[in-house]
Amino acid sequence: MAKPRWEPGPDHPITITPAGEKVVVTAGGRVIAETGNALLLQEAHYPPVRYVPLADVDPAVLERSTTTSYCPYKGDATYYSLPGAPDAVWEYQDPYDAVAAIKGHVAFYPDKVEFSA
């Protein structure tokens, strides 16, 4: 069965802009990512999500998970676990064209990590 594929529009807008600030992500007291190149994805009425370049994440803390999910606006997501935080990080490895800017970036569940500047 084919997955639905939807385009952002007036009823469900998605914008992606530079975060415009240095982003530091910590988990368990350890810095796991630090970047000045984060993107801010704002989707409809949802809270904004910071997407951090995967290259700016400490690879030693990421463990590929078998979890996957699907968003009809963005595509298939895969997940990583952090020490003590399963499925804390997600990535759209091949995002749909409307959100292509997040390719090569990951996002973090804010209840599993801490953000600071």
Side-chain angles (χ1 to χ4, degrees), residues 15-16 23 35 39 47 49 63 66 72 84 88 96 108-109:
T15 59
I16 302 169
V23 174
T35 188
L39 299 174
V49 176
E63 181 180 330
T66 59
Y96 292 154
F108 301 84
Y109 281 107

Side-chain angles (χ1 to χ4, degrees), residues 15-32:
T15 59
I16 302 169
T17 57
E21 63 185 2
K22 180 179 176 184
V23 174
V24 179
V25 183
T26 57
R30 177 179 180 181
V31 173
I32 58 172

Side-chain angles (χ1 to χ4, degrees), residues 3-21:
K3 296 175 184 174
R5 186 171 176 165
W6 302 335
E7 289 291 323
D11 60 327
H12 193 99
I14 297 177
T15 59
I16 302 169
T17 57
E21 63 185 2

